[in-house]
């Protein structure tokens, strides 16, 4: 299930596309990411001429939907969630151990199977159609996602594997992996992050066996859809599935964050779960959203071949949990190769208490940029993605400072503030000037804006 992504939000995202020249090969899972300390003045410099993208051993022809950038493709295959002692690996292992220990099958073996090596390249059918997301839904837009072409994309959520895993005969599983979304730029948002998906299906016997006089209860009926249930589900079945789901997740969060944790549930909307909820926890006096969940749409379950079962799904973000648990202030740090960061998470066991110690607070360098928008087709996240492509992890935050409409020409101007700060070293004015100049030049060239700089 998609985690912490409001499907009903109409977002505007970048159109900055991978140059037709680019030929990028997949990166093996054992490769190590290294922070770039030099930024070319032209980010789409000389690359081999090709109309295809080579990724993870496969070739994908580019078309009018191709919009994945070189910067994003360089992240594919890093698999931080499988890198031992990395904070994302620690969170994954903690959740996995909890499920292995507390949920056992008939023979005493773990009920939930774990899949943490599934390819991040999926079909549009897997990412949207299999989850019953309508064709005209805002979440499908190029501005929201990274497309290789019209048929293939980098998964926007681990929910893209739900249908396939259920269709293979699984009733209980966790799927973990990197996901890709075009988004704003600040200390809690990054175009690549990591999710864990959880799914559990119940037969009639499994759901009602522990209920007194439960022999006469049924999973399905020919009823009506309400705010509390789907038309095909009995209220008794929905209430039990919902209770089980909230109980499982409350136990998980308590296990991670400790006893006395306050939890509250907020109704929300996801296309492929109904009813659906978001969990918020009170951590150090602040309410924070940590996961989304709900009763699975029966049409999805039926189409995957499990017609006689009902189930729930949840999705949680590993970065969100790690930032809260370890007090990590900036999401860019998860991609750090600095040993001062990585060594802090090496310990004798995965449950060791760790509080991140800042490497240093390097000073920010701030530059503003203003330009006239080309037309109504301009998307704010077009600019964000362009900035991210050029500046990479040197960009801490981008803020829209001012929006001005000329009283006579009706042309619209945007003024953005770009905050440059590297999490591991001090930036120089000269370095930032070159990056900022490259952003200005590329905004004119790629987005068609009229510079006011």
């Amino acid at each position: 299930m998609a985690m912490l992504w409001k499907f009903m939000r109409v977002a505007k995202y970048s159109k900055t596309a991978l140059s037709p020249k680019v030929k990028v090969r997949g990166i093996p899972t054992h490769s190590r990411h290294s922070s770039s300390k030099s930024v070319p003045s032209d980010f789409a410099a000389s690359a081999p001429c090709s109309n295809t993208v080579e990724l993870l051993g496969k070739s994908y022809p580019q078309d009018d939907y191709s919009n994945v950038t070189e910067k994003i493709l360089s992240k594919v295959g890093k698999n931080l969630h499988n890198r031992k002692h990395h904070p994302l690996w620690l969170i994954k292992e903690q959740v996995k151990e909890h499920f292995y220990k507390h949920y056992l099958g008939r023979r005493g073996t773990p009920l939930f199977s774990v899949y943490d090596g599934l390819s991040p390249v999926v079909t549009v059918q897997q990412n949207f159609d299999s989850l019953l997301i309508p064709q005209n839904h805002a979440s499908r837009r190029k501005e929201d996602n990274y497309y290789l072409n019209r048929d293939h994309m980098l998964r926007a959520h681990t929910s893209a594997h739900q249908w396939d895993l259920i269709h293979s005969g699984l009733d209980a599983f966790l799927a973990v992996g990197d996901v890709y979304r075009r988004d704003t730029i600040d200390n809690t948002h990054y175009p690549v992050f990591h999710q864990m998906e959880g799914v559990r299906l119940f037969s009639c016997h499994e759901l009602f066996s522990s209920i007194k006089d439960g022999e006469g209860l049924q999973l399905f009926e020919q009823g009506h859809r309400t705010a509390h249930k789907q038309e095909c589900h009995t209220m008794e079945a929905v209430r039990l599935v919902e209770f089980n789901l909230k109980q499982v997740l409350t136990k998980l969060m308590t296990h991670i964050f400790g006893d006395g944790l306050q939890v509250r549930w907020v109704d929300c909307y996801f296309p492929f779960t109904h009813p659906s909820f978001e969990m918020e926890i009170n951590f150090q006096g602040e309410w924070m959203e940590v996961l989304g969940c709900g009763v699975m749409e029966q049409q999805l379950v039926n189409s995957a071949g499990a017609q006689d079962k009902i189930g729930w799904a949840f999705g949680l973000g590993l970065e969100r949990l790690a930032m809260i648990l370890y007090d990590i202030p900036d999401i860019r740090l998860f991609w750090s190769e600095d040993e001062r960061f990585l060594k802090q998470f090496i310990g004798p066991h995965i449950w060791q208490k760790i509080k991140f110690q800042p490497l240093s607070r390097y000073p920010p360098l701030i530059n503003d940029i203003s330009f006239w928008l080309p037309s109504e087709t301009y998307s704010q996240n077009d600019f964000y993605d362009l900035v991210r492509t050029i500046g990479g992890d040197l960009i801490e935050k981008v803020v829209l400072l001012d929006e001005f409409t000329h009283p006579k020409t009706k042309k619209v101007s945007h003024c953005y503030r770009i905050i440059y700060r590297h999490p591991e070293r001090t930036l120089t004015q000269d370095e930032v000037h070159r990056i900022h100049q490259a952003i200005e030049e590329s905004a004119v060239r790629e987005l068609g804006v009229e510079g006011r700089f």
Side-chain angles (χ1 to χ4, degrees), residues 14-19 22 36 38-40 42-44 67-74 146 182 185 191 381-395 435 438-439 442 446:
S14 173
K15 296 178 182 177
T16 306
L18 177 67
S19 166
V22 175
S36 173
S38 63
V39 178
D42 187 350
F43 71 93
N67 69 348
V68 65
T69 64
E70 300 170 63
K71 185 73 69 175
I72 296 302
L73 287 174
S74 71
Y146 287 106
R182 304 178 80 184
I185 301 175
N381 278 358
D382 289 359
F383 179 66
Y384 290 154
D385 209 45
L386 182 145
V387 171
R388 185 183 287 118
T389 297
I390 297 172
D393 289 350
L394 279 62
I395 309 296
I435 299 168
I439 291 172
S442 296
E446 303 291 331

Side-chain angles (χ1 to χ4, degrees), residues 350-399:
I350 60 176
W351 297 103
Q352 180 179 350
K353 297 287 186 182
I354 299 172
K355 181 177 174 60
F356 170 69
Q357 300 300 316
L359 310 181
S360 180
R361 194 56 176 169
Y362 299 103
L365 295 176
I366 299 173
N367 283 261
D368 295 346
I369 179 173
S370 300
F371 47 76
W372 295 105
L373 307 190
S375 67
E376 294 180 357
T377 60
Y378 172 83
S379 169
Q380 190 170 322
N381 278 358
D382 289 359
F383 179 66
Y384 290 154
D385 209 45
L386 182 145
V387 171
R388 185 183 287 118
T389 297
I390 297 172
D393 289 350
L394 279 62
I395 309 296
E396 180 176 80
K397 192 173 185 179
V398 179
V399 182

Side-chain angles (χ1 to χ4, degrees), residues 283-354:
F283 190 73
Q284 297 180 347
E286 180 181 356
W287 284 102
M288 289 174 282
E289 179 185 305
V290 291
L291 58 85
C293 61
V295 179
M296 295 187 71
E297 281 289 335
Q298 197 60 38
Q299 183 181 341
L300 188 163
V301 176
N302 291 347
S303 68
Q307 296 89 338
D308 58 343
K309 296 179 180 180
I310 184 175
W312 52 247
F314 72 81
L316 57 84
L318 299 185
E319 279 88 348
R320 172 61 61 89
L321 295 184
M323 291 179 80
I324 297 172
L325 183 61
Y326 302 128
D327 200 20
I328 299 174
D330 194 320
I331 196 169
R332 294 175 298 166
L333 284 165
F334 290 105
W335 295 90
S336 175
E337 284 295 332
D338 194 319
E339 290 299 320
R340 294 174 299 168
F341 173 76
L342 297 173
K343 284 184 177 179
Q344 294 188 40
F345 302 95
I346 297 176
H349 55 80
I350 60 176
W351 297 103
Q352 180 179 350
K353 297 287 186 182
I354 299 172

Side-chain angles (χ1 to χ4, degrees), residues 73-278:
L73 287 174
S74 71
K75 307 289 187 182
V76 178
K78 300 296 184 182
N79 297 324
L80 299 182
H81 60 287
N82 288 335
R83 182 174 175 178
K84 193 171 182 179
H85 298 303
H86 192 278
L88 298 180
W89 176 84
L90 290 174
I91 290 290
K92 182 198 75 171
E93 291 299 310
Q94 288 178 24
V95 176
K96 189 170 75 172
E97 182 181 277
H98 174 77
F99 274 88
Y100 278 180
K101 181 178 179 180
H102 294 279
Y103 303 98
L104 303 176
R106 296 176 182 176
R107 299 180 181 178
T109 56
L111 180 66
F112 285 81
S113 50
V114 178
Y115 298 85
D116 57 9
L118 300 171
S119 174
V121 179
V122 297
T123 63
V124 173
Q125 195 279 335
Q126 287 175 300
N127 200 79
F128 295 121
D129 297 334
S130 70
L131 298 172
L132 312 178
I133 298 175
Q135 288 287 336
N136 60 351
H137 200 278
S139 62
R140 289 177 176 258
R141 292 167 34 169
K142 285 176 61 177
E143 290 83 355
D144 285 9
N145 305 285
Y146 287 106
Y147 284 93
L148 296 176
N149 52 42
R150 281 186 171 270
D151 298 319
H152 295 85
M153 63 188 297
L154 297 177
R155 62 188 169 207
H157 42 221
T158 46
S159 307
H161 304 291
Q162 268 188 18
W163 192 95
D164 292 325
L165 292 173
I166 294 173
H167 188 65
S168 70
L170 296 175
D171 288 342
F173 58 83
L174 303 174
V176 194
D178 44 334
V179 299
Y180 300 77
R181 298 181 194 163
R182 304 178 80 184
D183 212 335
T184 54
I185 301 175
D186 58 36
N187 68 324
T188 62
H189 291 85
Y190 201 77
V192 189
F193 57 104
H194 298 75
Q195 282 188 340
M196 175 177 284
E197 189 86 7
V199 169
R200 174 77 195 276
L201 301 180
F202 301 87
S203 66
C204 187
H205 173 74
E206 289 171 328
L207 192 62
F208 296 127
S209 60
S210 60
I211 304 300
K212 184 178 180 180
D213 300 324
E215 299 84 4
L217 298 177
Q218 300 295 322
L219 296 180
F220 306 112
E221 68 174 9
Q222 292 182 345
H224 301 282
R225 179 172 289 238
T226 70
H228 305 290
K229 77 176 196 70
Q230 298 171 41
E231 58 271 26
C232 58
H233 292 158
T234 64
M235 184 57 73
E236 295 83 2
V238 171
R239 291 302 188 198
L240 281 175
V241 170
E242 182 182 324
F243 175 77
N244 181 268
L245 170 61
K246 291 181 176 180
Q247 187 181 50
V248 166
L249 294 175
T250 300
K251 287 181 178 179
L252 173 62
M253 290 300 115
T254 301
H255 200 61
I256 292 176
F257 293 104
D259 293 331
L261 184 73
Q262 290 180 282
V263 172
R264 69 183 183 190
W265 300 93
V266 180
D267 292 343
C268 66
Y269 169 74
F270 294 105
F272 45 90
T273 54
H274 177 76
S276 51
F277 317 91
E278 288 169 346

